[in-house]
Amino acid sequence: MSAVDGVSVRGAPPCVLTVAGSDSGGGAGIQADLKTMLALGVHGMSVLTAVTAQNSLGVQGAWELPVEAVRAQYRSVVDDIGVQAVKTGMLASAELVEAVAELIAGTDAPAVVDPVGVSKHGDSLLAASALDSVRTKLLPVATVATPNLDEVVQLTGVRVESEDGMRRAAEALLSYGPQWALIKGGHLSGDAVDLLTDGSEEHWLRAPRLDNRHTHGTGCTLASAIASGLAKGQSVPEAVAAAKEYVTGAIAAGFALGGGIGPVDHGWCWERERT
């Protein structure tokens, strides 16, 4: 710490930039990303790509921002403040995907790509015409790509019905160029198992399946937690393992909100009392 006029001033924590859409219900998207980053001790910054009208029941509307607005936000933050990791979420259109991929390619920081295709409620958040841009532009600049099994099918055509199929899915995803693939097996039965691989080494991450339906925002939260770990200097396997532990706790503490699926609790690791 340094002192300014007799007051101790703390140095800035690592900075993480999320490039994603807004969830007006606060459970996923930019809101979940920033909550996760705060909980994990990094400074969260944001580039808004889309606005959604969204609650616990689903997505009632979505409006993407112009490419020039996304590019201006990114340059404003990165050129002045700098960034130690970038995380992407909802990018909506091919034009946005390609613009963000170009920006990430010119940024000297690890990138976690959460290839968001559909919401927790099954609402489409990515135009079908954008899938090829994700494959050919965005995945090649990813340090880690974190698709769930539905997104794996969208991107690769590989349908995973058991743990044995997760290796095939990872191999198919890695063929598009990310350094690491994290295949999330949360939609399978049994334990919640994920496979992290770079094509040569494998890390299987397991956690008990929790009896809690309030899991809105898990994908955004996991990707943001990984980015936070990378920004703090952790290796990819270390960051993913720590993120898995954090998300498991957040799911366990997930709470009811509204009439549908409630969010995970991003602040579960803080000792606090709810009033």
Side-chain angles (χ1 to χ4, degrees):
M1 290 190 180
S2 60
V4 176
D5 294 331
V7 178
S8 293
V9 179
R10 181 186 166 202
C15 295
V16 181
L17 178 61
T18 170
V19 184
S22 168
D23 173 3
S24 54
I30 288 278
Q31 288 82 353
D33 297 340
L34 295 177
K35 291 174 188 178
T36 299
M37 293 168 191
L38 178 64
L40 295 179
V42 300
H43 175 66
M45 308 177 295
S46 60
V47 170
L48 198 64
T49 61
V51 175
T52 69
Q54 187 173 170
N55 56 26
S56 69
L57 300 173
V59 179
Q60 292 78 47
W63 301 266
E64 66 184 76
L65 268 67
V67 169
E68 56 267 29
V70 171
R71 187 177 286 112
Q73 291 176 80
Y74 192 101
R75 290 265 60 93
S76 177
V77 171
V78 173
D79 292 349
D80 172 45
I81 300 171
V83 65
Q84 279 70 59
V86 179
K87 175 262 177 187
T88 71
M90 178 185 176
L91 298 181
S93 69
E95 292 78 13
L96 285 177
V97 169
E98 292 174 14
V100 170
E102 181 182 356
L103 290 164
I104 290 174
T107 304
D108 185 19
V112 180
V113 170
D114 183 16
V116 175
V118 295
S119 75
K120 178 70 68 178
H121 307 87
D123 303 292
S124 178
L125 299 175
L126 182 71
S129 59
L131 286 171
D132 193 55
S133 295
V134 172
R135 297 183 192 103
T136 62
K137 303 294 185 182
L138 189 60
L139 290 178
V141 300
T143 306
V144 190
T146 65
N148 62 33
L149 298 186
D150 290 337
E151 291 155 356
V152 164
V153 174
Q154 279 189 311
L155 292 168
T156 71
V158 175
R159 190 171 298 277
V160 178
E161 297 179 349
S162 67
E163 287 186 25
D164 292 338
M166 294 177 74
R167 282 194 180 95
R168 288 189 298 108
E171 182 180 355
L173 192 74
L174 287 171
S175 71
Y176 292 114
Q179 295 176 33
W180 291 82
L182 176 64
I183 307 299
K184 300 181 295 190
H187 293 177
L188 297 177
S189 58
D191 285 349
V193 58
D194 304 327
L195 170 61
L196 173 70
T197 179
D198 64 353
S200 58
E201 61 180 272
E202 288 185 355
H203 303 267
W204 291 87
L205 299 101
R206 297 179 184 276
R209 186 168 299 278
L210 301 169
D211 186 19
N212 186 354
R213 66 187 291 263
H214 301 299
T215 57
H216 185 49
T218 49
C220 305
T221 300
L222 180 67
S224 294
I226 295 169
S228 297
L230 295 177
K232 291 188 284 189
Q234 295 175 349
S235 68
V236 170
E238 289 170 339
V240 171
K244 174 81 168 180
E245 181 178 356
Y246 171 73
V247 169
T248 300
I251 293 172
F255 51 90
L257 201 66
I261 299 174
V264 301
D265 185 351
H266 298 94
W268 70 272
C269 50
W270 294 331
E271 293 183 2
R272 66 185 183 189
E273 294 183 0
R274 294 191 184 278
T275 57

